[in-house]
Amino acid sequence: MGKDNAYKVKWGILSTGWIAHQFVIDLVHASNGVAYAVGSRSQESADKFARDHGVPHAYATYEELVNDPNVDAVYIGTPHPFHKENALLALRAGKAVLCEKPFTVNSGELEEIVSYAREHKLFLMEAMWSRYIPAIVKVREWIEEGRIGDVRLVKADLGFRTDWNPEGRLLNPKLGGGALLDVGIYPVSFASMVFGPHPEAISSTVHIGETGVDEHFSMLLSYGDGKTASLNGGIRLHMLEEAHVFGTEGRIIVEGTLVNPKSASLYIGDEKVETFVDDRASIGYCFEAEEVGRCLQAGLTESSVMSLDESLAILNLLDQIRAQWGLKYPGE
């Protein structure tokens, strides 16, 4: 890629599922990227996606997509259990990769992908889109500026009640279903953003439903020096979706939803002193796409905002939590 600021990353979209539609719809708001091609498992599906979104090139296989010489970066939006093979396919074709979260179903799979990307000096990033959402960026700034003093406690929840569909992605163990990987990744990643990804102690409880997936969980992560994260998630339980950060001088509330918040408020003592409101027109996926473009323009192979080491540590943490539950996915 050239260094010309007008240059736009030509994105290849690997998948025609719901999340891929969302990503491409939002890509029009990205200053440095454009949807160039889509790959599916059938020509019909790829053609429909391309027509719906004005994508110039449509391929009947993922192999054809990643081997298009004009594709700069591949966005992977398939279900979790397919991320490893899809990411390796794109990396082996020499492409930069943005892979939906959770990166893979376990840390062993991710280690394999990261090793390949680092060995071949290829860009790789987890699509943890909330990291780049303006309200979350503002939360990081407030914390780094010391506005709430020493941070001691994070409380973050994310949960909804999905319809009963045992074959659907959320409740199907074969598709990596369950609360932890689907929604739990958000509060865990938020806590990691604040305290780092290496808690000293982990305690957790879980409810395993009749399909064999975790339907809701609670966890307490201890980081030493009085620093604690209390996190909850669920896919069969209506929950609050906020995040709270408590420091010795004040607190921060991420409002609305932890996934894609439009506002955050800063309190010093009991007084609200600042509210950040984001009135963007975009859904919010454009920000992670822009980060990939920024990194590629700068010749970087990973993002400092969501580093590969942090993604690895988070998945290792999720592995440890599942071990406490005795929960394994098919094939593990």
Side-chain angles (χ1 to χ4, degrees), residues 16-162:
T16 54
W18 181 83
I19 194 78
H21 282 278
Q22 299 297 299
F23 182 80
V24 172
I25 287 167
D26 219 45
L27 200 51
V28 299
H29 296 282
S31 60
N32 58 4
V34 63
Y36 177 82
V38 60
S40 184
R41 288 171 296 183
S42 76
Q43 192 67 55
E44 183 184 12
S45 174
D47 286 342
K48 184 178 186 312
F49 188 98
R51 279 196 310 272
D52 289 348
H53 299 292
V55 179
H57 304 277
Y59 294 111
T61 67
Y62 297 154
E63 287 77 12
E64 289 174 278
L65 173 73
V66 301
N67 287 312
D68 182 325
N70 293 312
V71 169
D72 299 312
V74 173
Y75 166 80
I76 294 169
T78 51
H80 329 321
F82 306 109
H83 287 177
K84 176 190 160 185
E85 63 181 89
N86 297 156
L88 285 173
L89 181 74
L91 290 168
R92 286 172 181 146
K95 305 303 184 188
V97 169
L98 175 66
C99 183
E100 260 311 327
K101 47 73 202 107
F103 228 140
T104 51
V105 295
N106 59 48
S107 59
E109 287 188 350
L110 183 54
E111 282 167 8
E112 200 176 325
I113 303 171
V114 169
S115 256
Y116 187 93
R118 285 178 167 166
E119 183 185 344
H120 295 86
K121 297 180 172 54
L122 294 165
F123 180 86
L124 177 64
M125 188 176 97
E126 182 176 15
M128 178 48 71
W129 66 312
S130 56
R131 279 290 170 101
Y132 308 95
I133 297 294
I136 299 291
V137 174
K138 177 55 72 174
V139 168
R140 281 204 299 277
E141 288 174 6
W142 284 338
I143 292 170
E144 287 163 6
E145 290 165 2
R147 299 287 296 277
I148 61 169
D150 294 328
V151 179
R152 295 296 170 86
L153 176 65
V154 165
K155 187 176 186 309
D157 305 319
L158 183 62
F160 55 88
R161 184 167 175 82
T162 189

Side-chain angles (χ1 to χ4, degrees), residues 104-109 181 315 319 322 326-332:
T104 51
V105 295
N106 59 48
S107 59
E109 287 188 350
L181 289 191
L315 259 179
D319 288 350
R322 282 199 295 123
L327 178 63
K328 289 189 173 184
Y329 300 113
E332 282 192 309

Side-chain angles (χ1 to χ4, degrees), residues 164 171 179 206-210 213-217 233-236:
W164 183 252
L171 294 171
V206 68
H207 170 66
I208 305 292
E210 61 184 85
V213 304
D214 53 304
E215 291 190 356
H216 62 261
F217 67 82
I235 53 170
R236 292 281 288 160

